[in-house]
Amino acid sequence: MKSSGAPEVIVSRTGDVTGDGVADRVWLTGVRTEDSPFIQDITLLIQNGMTGRITQVALPENMGYEPTIYLCDFTGDGVLDIKVSIQSGGSGGFVFTYIYSFVNSRLRLLFSGERYEVSRQFRAYYVDGFTVVVENGHGQQYRIDVSLDPAAADLYNPDGTLKQPTEANVGPFIMAIPVVLDESSGVCSLLALTRVYGTFAADTLGYIQDYLSWDGNMFSTVREELAVFPQDVSNG
C-alpha cells in the first residue's frame, strides 16, 4: 500500500488533561494510505494549554483504521485522561486501546489491551451434555449451551457424551468501552470485551464482559459477566 507521505491531523480534542485548569489540545497524526482507510505512523500529541509545550507520544501499536480519542476522568482525580483507540481491521476485529494520564504534564500509561490480555488467564473446554465451560482464573466458571451449535455436533456422541477431550478458546481481548457505573461521580470505568469461541475462530460462542474501575493503582474488576447469543428454538 502506498502512503501519501506526510503526516496529517486525524482527530483532535480539547480538555484539561494536565490538571492546571486550562484547556489543552490532544490530537493524533498519521500518514494516510492512498485509496485505503489504513493509516500508518499514528502518533499522539498533547499541547499544554498554559505553556504551549507539545509532548509527542509513540504508541505501542501505531497503525490501523479509524483512530479515535476520548477524554474522560478514569482515575477519579478530577482531571481528564486520554483514551486512544485504533481498529486493527482484518478478521480479528480487535481494537488497540491505550489510556494515558497526563497530570502535571507527566505521562503515565494507565491501561493497554496488551497488558490486560496478559493479566487474564481464561480457559474454555467442552464437557458432556453439549456444554462449554469457561473458567476465569478466579475460581469461577460459566457454562455455555452448544446443543444448537452446528459446529459442536461432530464433537459429541448421540447421547451427549463428548467423543474426546476438546478445548474451546478465549481471546483475544477485543476492545474496552468507556462506561459510567456511578453517574453521580462522573468517573469513567471500562467495559472490556474478550471473545469466546469454539474449535475455530469463526465459531463465536459469546463474550466475557469485564467491568473495570480504577482502584488507585490499576483497573480492577468490579463485575464480570458472560454474554451469549440468543438461541433460535422455534420449530420453523
Side-chain angles (χ1 to χ4, degrees):
M1 291 184 290
K2 184 178 179 182
S3 70
S4 59
E8 58 183 274
V9 175
I10 305 300
V11 61
S12 179
R13 297 288 183 265
T14 301
D16 180 16
V17 297
T18 59
D20 59 8
V22 178
D24 309 296
R25 184 187 177 210
V26 182
W27 71 102
L28 295 174
T29 62
V31 177
R32 296 187 184 274
T33 304
E34 290 186 7
D35 302 319
S36 169
F38 186 71
I39 301 174
Q40 305 176 62
D41 299 326
I42 301 171
T43 303
L44 171 65
L45 295 104
I46 309 165
Q47 184 173 36
N48 187 306
M50 181 175 291
T51 67
R53 179 181 178 182
I54 296 176
T55 299
Q56 182 171 301
V57 182
L59 301 172
E61 294 290 343
N62 68 349
M63 60 181 64
Y65 301 84
E66 300 182 21
T68 63
I69 294 172
Y70 184 81
L71 302 182
C72 191
D73 178 10
F74 287 94
T75 65
D77 62 0
V79 181
L80 297 175
D81 302 299
I82 305 164
K83 178 178 180 287
V84 177
S85 301
I86 304 170
Q87 295 189 27
S88 66
S91 60
F94 57 89
V95 180
F96 300 118
T97 304
Y98 307 102
I99 298 177
Y100 293 96
S101 167
F102 199 61
V103 176
N104 297 323
S105 296
R106 290 195 294 268
L107 187 73
R108 180 184 179 190
L109 179 62
L110 303 179
F111 178 90
S112 77
E114 295 89 339
R115 284 185 183 178
Y116 173 79
E117 188 171 349
V118 169
S119 72
R120 298 306 309 269
Q121 301 297 321
F122 295 105
R123 183 192 172 207
Y125 50 92
Y126 291 83
V127 297
D128 292 346
F130 297 99
T131 300
V132 167
V133 172
V134 182
E135 298 178 349
N136 68 0
H138 297 300
Q140 300 168 321
Q141 62 177 221
Y142 305 100
R143 302 177 77 85
I144 303 174
D145 179 2
V146 293
S147 60
L148 298 181
D149 181 9
D154 290 340
L155 304 177
Y156 288 91
N157 296 306
D159 64 355
T161 57
L162 196 63
K163 293 180 180 178
Q164 62 184 22
T166 305
E167 296 287 317
N169 297 275
V170 183
F173 161 83
I174 298 295
M175 67 177 69
I177 304 167
V179 294
V180 177
L181 299 180
D182 180 2
E183 293 187 4
S184 64
S185 71
V187 176
C188 280
S189 296
L190 289 173
L191 171 55
L193 300 179
T194 301
R195 190 163 67 94
V196 181
Y197 63 98
T199 56
F200 58 94
D203 184 28
T204 299
L205 303 177
Y207 291 88
I208 301 292
Q209 297 185 156
D210 191 5
Y211 293 85
L212 306 165
S213 290
W214 187 255
D215 66 6
N217 296 299
M218 61 183 292
F219 283 94
S220 59
T221 298
V222 175
R223 183 173 81 249
E224 185 185 89
E225 304 164 343
L226 174 68
V228 297
F229 301 107
Q231 295 185 342
D232 184 2
V233 296
S234 65
N235 294 320

